Amino acid sequence: RNYIADMPQSSGEMMQDMFDRERVIFTDYGESYQGAFTTWIDGEPFCFFGQGYSNSETVIHELGHYYGSMYVEAWSQPMDLSETQSQSNEWLFVDYLQSVMSEELYRALVEYKLSSDIGYIMCFVMIDEFEEKVYSQDNAGNLSLEEYDAIMAEIAEAYGGVDFIQENILDIQSYWKQVVLESPVYYVSYAVSGIAAINLYTMAQQDETAA
């Protein structure tokens, strides 16, 4: 709430709206959906936080979506813009924490998030390149799992970040299977918006209100 109050008035009021009108559900119910999302119910945005997804970063992320959805339905705007709103809100929150943390702790937080976000940006760009390479082949549907793995291994090696990805994220050969099956041609938007969000954080160091 302190972060929201620190925002420019129009932005803060839109984010506070989620709490004031209870357009949100937090649940740790054992059989509830394990994830967080912003959707559109009765002509207005609505946020859901399932078990294990009520941490501050996730709440801030979805608040960015809620803010954007106050202007236009969540699924009616470009994915790159939607994710820029949410990821930028994470970085603006990091900027705000500078005022409530010690310098040493804040520096550690920024370094951790920057390292993590850059890792994910690399990962998402590699997944996009994998999808483009596979979908452009006439025999894409007839490739074996081993051949898919080989394509991803070749791409990851070309980026020179295999060790970094696996140390900071997870097994790339497991991760791409999950996201490509669940959300094809989607994760490149996280890469594009992630770069924009980091740029906004850099801007905020000079002019927080402008950012």
Side-chain angles (χ1 to χ4, degrees), residues 63-183:
L63 267 178
H65 283 311
Y66 188 91
Y67 169 82
S69 298
M70 292 291 283
Y71 291 99
V72 61
E73 293 183 11
W75 47 80
S76 298
Q77 60 180 316
M79 189 60 65
D80 293 357
L81 173 58
S82 177
E83 294 306 332
T84 297
Q85 291 164 341
S86 58
Q87 289 181 295
S88 293
N89 206 35
E90 292 179 29
W91 274 105
L92 292 176
F93 179 60
V94 169
D95 177 65
Y96 162 77
L97 291 176
Q98 190 170 191
S99 64
V100 297
M101 283 184 171
S102 69
E103 182 179 348
E104 183 178 7
L105 183 57
Y106 180 73
R107 185 170 62 251
L109 170 65
V110 172
E111 290 178 357
Y112 169 78
K113 181 161 178 57
L114 187 59
S115 174
S116 176
D117 280 18
I118 289 175
Y120 276 112
I121 288 169
M122 287 179 59
C123 182
F124 299 153
V125 170
M126 288 192 296
I127 289 171
D128 181 66
E129 190 165 326
F130 168 83
E131 291 179 327
E132 183 176 353
K133 193 165 187 175
V134 169
Y135 297 157
S136 63
Q137 297 187 29
D138 293 334
N139 65 332
N142 297 319
L143 296 176
S144 66
L145 181 57
E146 289 73 22
E147 288 173 310
Y148 288 127
D149 279 340
I151 291 172
M152 177 54 83
E154 180 182 351
I155 291 171
E157 189 65 36
Y159 275 80
V162 181
D163 292 340
F164 178 83
I165 291 293
Q166 301 213 30
E167 289 173 7
N168 292 276
I169 313 297
L170 68 173
D171 180 3
I172 185 66
Q173 291 288 25
S174 297
Y175 188 67
W176 74 257
K177 297 179 181 72
Q178 173 187 335
V179 300
V180 168
L181 289 173
E182 292 183 351
S183 306

Side-chain angles (χ1 to χ4, degrees), residues 2-13 15 89 92 208:
N2 290 340
Y3 164 67
I4 292 174
D6 190 62
M7 295 285 285
Q9 184 176 0
S10 60
S11 304
E13 287 178 351
M15 293 183 188
N89 206 35
L92 292 176
E208 182 182 12

